[in-house]
Amino acid sequence: MSGVAGAFLCASSEPWSRVVDQLKKMIPTLALRGQAGVAVYAFMQERGIRYARAIQSNDNSVRIDGIEQDPRFRPHVAIAQIRSGGGDDGDVQSIPSRYFAISLDGALVNAHELRSELLAQGPLIDTNTDAELLLRWIERSCEREYWRHGLPADYEAIFRELDDRIDGAISALLLDMNGDLVAYRNRSGLRPQAMDCCSLLPKIVPSLA
């Protein structure tokens, strides 16, 4: 069991600290979903995506190491993943990607099938977890359908294609290199999403820049 949460500024006039404050309020509400680790990915224009870890104390207060200590890093969007105990802790590690950060709740029942399909298109790296596999699938789709043609990615189309291929119940938050946030829950998904200022998707929250 795990959980995902996201927070973002709805207007450029809002203070950047609201993103961190709201995320810190949401993380304890997902505590019952397990505290094996909490990964945070935050985005700031001109500085890109930064990886951090959230640490929750016994009194439910939360600090986000790697972001709160740097006053020059002022994120306008951030996502978190809360992972349960047991099994590999890989989902709460920083997944190497030039383009995205992802948080995933749930499991891909047909992960082997999806991995085989990606391998048929070329070598894969870092696909030990479902989160990594989903991230690589999205990267391949963006490259094949959009980037190589000089087009912006159509995330709604990408996730609708995924919806036809995924077996399992998942929710995911995807943060891209432009600061755009995409929240997704597949049709058979029963996983909760905790989002500040946004409804369930597929939904795209654009960068404020």
Side-chain angles (χ1 to χ4, degrees):
M1 184 181 290
S2 57
V4 296
F8 56 91
L9 300 183
C10 295
S12 58
S13 59
E14 292 184 288
W16 68 270
S17 57
R18 186 175 188 276
V19 169
V20 174
D21 290 343
Q22 291 298 316
L23 203 61
K24 288 166 67 174
K25 289 179 182 177
M26 285 187 283
I27 287 172
T29 68
L30 295 173
L32 294 179
R33 303 188 68 77
Q35 286 295 295
V38 182
V40 174
Y41 306 91
F43 177 89
M44 176 183 173
Q45 292 290 347
E46 299 180 358
R47 301 190 69 175
I49 298 173
R50 175 175 292 190
Y51 169 75
R53 278 183 177 271
I55 310 297
Q56 186 174 347
S57 65
N58 291 334
D59 63 358
N60 276 344
S61 63
V62 176
R63 75 174 190 272
I64 301 179
D65 289 345
I67 294 178
E68 291 188 278
Q69 295 89 342
D70 185 355
R72 296 173 297 177
F73 190 79
R74 303 179 178 90
H76 74 254
V77 59
I79 61 177
Q81 175 164 323
I82 297 87
R83 182 172 167 79
S84 64
D88 182 16
D89 197 29
D91 275 358
V92 298
Q93 304 301 319
S94 178
I95 302 172
S97 174
R98 294 173 54 195
Y99 311 106
F100 301 110
I102 194 167
S103 294
L104 178 67
D105 178 22
L108 300 172
V109 177
N110 60 335
H112 178 74
E113 176 185 333
L114 294 174
R115 184 176 290 106
S116 297
E117 198 168 332
L118 284 177
L119 281 170
Q121 301 173 24
L124 277 180
I125 59 171
D126 302 312
T127 57
N128 295 318
T129 67
D130 288 351
E132 293 165 342
L133 179 59
L134 188 62
L135 183 144
R136 300 307 172 201
W137 183 283
I138 294 167
E139 285 182 336
R140 289 274 179 91
S141 296
C142 287
E143 172 62 29
R144 181 182 66 249
E145 303 294 337
Y146 303 102
W147 294 340
R148 68 175 56 180
H149 306 295
L151 300 173
D154 184 341
Y155 293 123
E156 184 172 354
I158 289 170
F159 278 98
R160 289 192 184 282
E161 178 188 5
L162 267 171
D163 217 43
D164 293 330
R165 296 173 180 264
I166 288 175
D167 183 7
I170 70 167
S171 290
L173 298 176
L174 181 74
L175 181 59
D176 76 7
M177 58 186 172
N178 298 314
D180 292 337
L181 173 62
V182 182
Y184 165 75
R185 184 169 66 189
N186 69 321
R187 282 176 292 188
S188 57
L190 301 175
R191 305 285 176 169
Q193 288 176 320
M195 293 288 290
D196 177 44
C197 298
C198 125
S199 58
L200 297 182
L201 304 176
K203 169 80 174 175
I204 301 171
V205 180
S207 165
L208 294 175

